[in-house]
Every structure is written in structure tokens, then in C-alpha cells.
């Protein structure tokens, strides 16, 4: 059985891609590179993969980059690549949060499209400044909230927009992990060290790292806008400077209510992202651990299990599916969908053609909302869970 999806799309020339961060030992850099290559839309040709020159050179060599296009400084990379006839057209920024603003600014100001890992920046002030820079640039800005790339998340969004759930009343979203149950940052574990350091991560720990994903997913699926929140943040591990658990009450414009839980100290949970949405006509539930399915329950009727590319799914899911139903697609494919959407937008910008209305990717505005969410959570918790408007 054939499905109408990625394999049927025409392939323009590969987009020349650079990367900032993501050198040896970096988890998310490798994920970005796999995602960028999966649909054969990008070719990595340059990188400032580490601020340590020896590590930058070694990382570039391991990836087969031209030594002349392997840099130890992202500003040098932005300046030189912008001046080359075959310089990079887009750059992936996969550094710790505190470097996102400066790095993205350097490339945006030179007309180079930016694909940036979340959260947008480590502070709201930097997020607002970066939005201004992006608005003045001819380049696109794409934020990799990768969970929005799952086909069945797109299906859920489409169903909400069509009114299949009626008026939305309740949104429940959670993202628990257990990897920071102990103080592994004190052992020098790289991924834990910077994520628990306010100077690198920003004001939020679990709220910034995974809470922003949960919040973005809730808004993406429902189309709702958050009005205010009340948050209770904890740092359960002794000596930890940022939150490792958060309970957040949500009030959306229009009257819907919600709850968000994110935790990195919940034993038994690896990446337990889940969303449930309930309206006047029905409810849906999606769980990342089983991403190819979506439960839909019309009120008063039996539950229905919808499967990726299966009967009952719509065009929003089909266009980001690659293979027939029954063959699972997962995290890397969803991440790659963000890159594929970015590629379509970049190609349209190059040709002067309008972007296909079906193309969806998180923008700098989504990133700004995410940073505002984190700072509102911190402010609310400091006031003993007081309601804070965004």
C-alpha cells in the first residue's frame, strides 16, 4: 500500500547547512544532523562545533567537513560563510541556551536562515531582542519543538481545528523524566551540568528543558492562547539551583483550563510526554511512547483508536508520514519533519514562491512564548503559586 507523503515530493537541491555546537559528545547535535539528512534536504558543509579549537577541529574531521570550513568561533563562521559564493544557506544552533541569542543574531543579520534548538534563549529580554533581529532580517527562523512533527500530533491538531472535540474545556499535559533523580551534575555529567546551571540554562530547570515542550505541545494541538498561570516549582535534589519538578495550573483565553506537570525526578519515566484534550463533544489522548496512535472518544460513544496513515486519519498526518501504517515512525522522523518543513519554507523563499499553506513549523513567536512561560512559572512560584499573567 502506498501513502501520499514525503516520498512523493520533488527534491530541490540540498540546502547548504552549517552547525553551531553539537561537537563530540553532544546528544542533540547528532539528533539534528540525523534529522537534517533523513529526507535528503540538507548537506552539512561547515561548523563551529565547539568553542575549544582542538575539539572543534576533531569534531569537524569526524564529520568529514573541510578543515577550512571548520571554525572555533561562530562569529568568524557567520562572517566568512556569508561572503562565500557557496556559503551556508542555513545554520543549526544546538548550543546551551545562553548562547542562542548571540549565535542566532550573527547569522540572521547576514541573511542566513536559523534553525535553533529550544528554548529560544535563556532570558525573556534576549528573546524579545532576538525577535526584533529576526523581524529585520530576510532570513527565516525555525525553532525545533520537534514533538509538533509527529503525524498523530498533526492529526490531533487537525481534529481540534475541525471542531471534532467541540469547544475545548480541559487540557492536561505532562512530561516526566527520571534522569536527574540524583545529583549527577556533581559528577561532571555534561548534559546535567549545563542544564542545572542558571548561567547556561536560564531561570528554568525542568520548566525550561521539558516544560517548554509540554507547553508548546498544548498550544500547538489546541490552538489556544495562555492567559495566566499559577506554578509550584521545586528543586528536590539537595543543592540543585534550578527546578527539577513543576506543577502548573493554566488558564487559557476563552475559558479553557489546564494542568501541566514536568519533572526530571520521577523514577520510572524516561520521556513520558503525554497530552489529553477534552471538549464539549469528545476527547483525545496522545502518548509519545506510542506515537503512531491517537485515542479519540466522541462523547457517549466507544473509544476509537486512530493509527498513523490508517483509516480515519486526515491530510495533516498523511503529508508528514513516510511509510505505510503498521510500520512505526518515531522521534527521529518527527524531528526530521521539522527540518523538512524548514526546507520547504527556505526553498520557497529562495524562489520567491509562496510557502505551501500546509507547511507548519514552530517560529520565533512560539519561542518567545516559551521563554515567557518559564519566567512566569518562576515568578509565580516565588509568590507562593500566585496567578501571573503572561
Amino acid at each position: 500500500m502506498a501513502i501520499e507523503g514525503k516520498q512523493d515530493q520533488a527534491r530541490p537541491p540540498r540546502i547548504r547547512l552549517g552547525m553551531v555546537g553539537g561537537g563530540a559528545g553532544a546528544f542533540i547535535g547528532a539528533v539534528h544532523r540525523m534529522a537534517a539528512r533523513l529526507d535528503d534536504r540538507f548537506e552539512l558543509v561547515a561548523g563551529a562545533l565547539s568553542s575549544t579549537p582542538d575539539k572543534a577541529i576533531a569534531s569537524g574531521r569526524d564529520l568529514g567537513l573541510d578543515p577550512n570550513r571548520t571554525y572555533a568561533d561562530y562569529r568568524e563562521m557567520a562572517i566568512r560563510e556569508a561572503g562565500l559564493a557557496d556559503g551556508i544557506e542555513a545554520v543549526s544552533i544546538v548550543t546551551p541556551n545562553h548562547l542562542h541569542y548571540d549565535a542566532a543574531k550573527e547569522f540572521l543579520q547576514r541573511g542566513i536562515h536559523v534553525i535553533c534548538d529550544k528554548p529560544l534563549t535563556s532570558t525573556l529580554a534576549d528573546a524579545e531582542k532576538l525577535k526584533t533581529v529576526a523581524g529585520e532580517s530576510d532570513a527565516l527562523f525555525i525553532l525545533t519543538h520537534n514533538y509538533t512533527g509527529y503525524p498523530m500530533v498533526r492529526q490531533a491538531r487537525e481534529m481540534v481545528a475541525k471542531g471534532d472535540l467541540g469547544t475545548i474545556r480541559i487540557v492536561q499535559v505532562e512530561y516526566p523524566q527520571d534522569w536527574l533523580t540524583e545529583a549527577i551534575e556533581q559528577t561532571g555529567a555534561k548534559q546535567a551540568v549545563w542544564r542545572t546551571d542558571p548561567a547556561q540554562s536560564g531561570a528554568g530547570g525542568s520548566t525550561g528543558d521539558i516544560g517548554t515542550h509540554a507547553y508548546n505541545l498544548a498550544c500547538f494541538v489546541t490552538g489556544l492562547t495562555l492567559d495566566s498561570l499559577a506554578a509550584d516549582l521545586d528543586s528536590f535534589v539537595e543543592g540543585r539551583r534550578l527546578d527539577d519538578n513543576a506543577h502548573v495550573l493554566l488558564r487559557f483565553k476563552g475559558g479553557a483550563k489546564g494542568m501541566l506537570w514536568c519533572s526530571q525526578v520521577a523514577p520510572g519515566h524516561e520521556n513520558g510526554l503525554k497530552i489529553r484534550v477534552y471538549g464539549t463533544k469528545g476527547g483525545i489522548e496522545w502518548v509519545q511512547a506510542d506515537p503512531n496512535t491517537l485515542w479519540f472518544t466522541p462523547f457517549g460513544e466507544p473509544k476509537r483508536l486512530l493509527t498513523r496513515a490508517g483509516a480515519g486519519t486526515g491530510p495533516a498526518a498523511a503529508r508528514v508520514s513516510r511509510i505505510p501504517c503498521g510500520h512505526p515512525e518515531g522521534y527521529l522522523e518527527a524531528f526530521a519533519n521539522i527540518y523538512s518543513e524548514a526546507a520547504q519554507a527556505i526553498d520557497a523563499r529562495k524562489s520567491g514562491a509562496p510557502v505551501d499553506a500546509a507547511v507548519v513549523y514552530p517560529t520565533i513567536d512560539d519561542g518567545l512564548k516559551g521563554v515567557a512561560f518559564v519566567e512566569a512559572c518562576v515568578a509565580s512560584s516565588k509568590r507562593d503559586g500566585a496567578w501571573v499573567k503572561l
Side-chain angles (χ1 to χ4, degrees):
M1 180 183 78
I3 60 172
E4 188 176 331
K6 292 195 170 290
Q7 67 272 31
D8 300 317
Q9 297 172 2
R11 301 294 191 204
R14 292 173 181 163
I15 295 164
R16 298 185 299 277
L17 180 69
M19 180 168 281
V20 176
F27 158 71
I28 203 63
V31 170
H32 276 258
R33 290 191 290 272
M34 287 185 277
R37 287 289 293 142
L38 188 59
D39 294 312
D40 207 24
R41 304 300 301 274
F42 293 87
E43 182 177 6
L44 185 68
V45 296
L49 303 168
S50 173
S51 58
T52 304
D54 290 346
K55 186 175 179 180
I57 293 169
S59 297
R61 182 174 59 246
D62 290 345
L63 293 174
L65 296 181
D66 182 341
N68 292 323
R69 300 181 73 175
T70 299
Y71 307 86
D73 178 80
Y74 57 76
R75 186 171 186 274
E76 177 193 356
M77 174 178 162
I79 294 170
R80 184 167 184 270
E81 290 291 325
L84 295 176
D86 62 346
I88 60 172
E89 301 165 275
V91 63
S92 296
I93 296 175
V94 294
T95 63
N97 307 342
H98 70 297
L99 295 174
H100 289 183
Y101 167 69
D102 283 333
K105 180 182 68 172
E106 291 293 340
F107 291 92
L108 287 171
Q109 289 178 335
R110 292 169 175 82
I112 295 170
H113 306 292
V114 171
I115 303 170
C116 185
D117 204 45
K118 63 82 229 163
L120 179 62
T121 56
S122 58
T123 69
L124 186 57
D126 279 351
E128 290 170 340
K129 287 189 292 184
L130 190 57
K131 178 176 168 59
T132 298
V133 173
E136 295 171 348
S137 173
D138 291 331
L140 298 173
F141 188 98
I142 296 94
L143 192 71
T144 55
H145 272 302
N146 53 293
Y147 302 111
T148 65
Y150 277 106
M152 298 313 285
V153 167
R154 300 290 179 97
Q155 173 70 22
R157 173 186 169 97
E158 184 177 55
M159 292 173 68
V160 171
K162 285 168 54 183
D164 290 348
L165 276 64
T167 301
I168 302 304
R169 290 170 167 169
I170 304 166
V171 184
Q172 303 279 108
V173 64
E174 63 183 56
Y175 197 157
Q177 300 173 331
D178 65 3
W179 73 291
L180 290 178
T181 296
E182 296 181 336
I184 63 171
E185 64 269 29
Q186 295 179 16
T187 70
K190 179 180 178 180
Q191 298 301 322
V193 167
W194 77 259
R195 281 178 169 84
T196 57
D197 178 5
Q200 297 184 73
S201 186
S206 67
T207 47
D209 195 26
I210 54 178
T212 49
H213 272 312
Y215 169 60
N216 175 262
L217 183 65
C219 296
F220 181 81
V221 168
T222 65
L224 297 174
T225 300
L226 188 62
D227 177 73
S228 55
L229 60 78
D232 185 18
L233 275 54
D234 286 288
S235 302
F236 281 114
V237 173
E238 185 177 356
R240 183 164 289 162
R241 292 177 290 170
L242 294 175
D243 64 271
D244 50 29
N245 189 88
H247 296 92
V248 189
L249 293 175
L250 308 170
R251 289 175 178 169
F252 294 96
K253 293 180 179 179
K257 301 293 180 69
M259 293 175 62
L260 183 152
W261 170 47
C262 61
S263 181
Q264 292 170 316
V265 292
H269 289 284
E270 295 168 337
N271 278 282
L273 181 61
K274 175 192 294 187
I275 184 168
R276 291 171 288 175
V277 182
Y278 305 99
T280 54
K281 293 167 58 178
I284 53 175
E285 179 176 350
W286 179 80
V287 181
Q288 193 205 197
D290 190 10
N292 292 272
T293 63
L294 175 72
W295 284 105
F296 171 46
T297 309
F299 178 65
E301 298 181 24
K303 293 179 71 172
R304 303 174 184 176
L305 184 64
L306 303 178
T307 60
R308 186 197 55 76
T313 56
R319 67 174 293 275
V320 291
S321 294
R322 295 170 178 78
I323 52 180
C325 54
H327 298 292
E329 293 188 4
Y331 176 82
L332 290 176
E333 289 88 347
F335 216 119
N337 283 336
I338 304 301
Y339 268 88
S340 183
E341 301 281 59
Q344 292 185 63
I346 291 169
D347 286 334
R349 178 64 60 90
K350 285 195 295 184
S351 67
V355 181
D356 187 335
V359 171
V360 178
Y361 57 82
T363 67
I364 198 161
D365 288 324
D366 297 303
L368 184 60
K369 291 174 184 176
V371 180
F373 165 79
V374 173
E375 295 208 354
C377 285
V378 173
S380 171
S381 189
K382 286 181 177 179
R383 294 167 52 193
D384 199 24
W387 286 95
V388 172
K389 277 192 172 289
L390 270 74

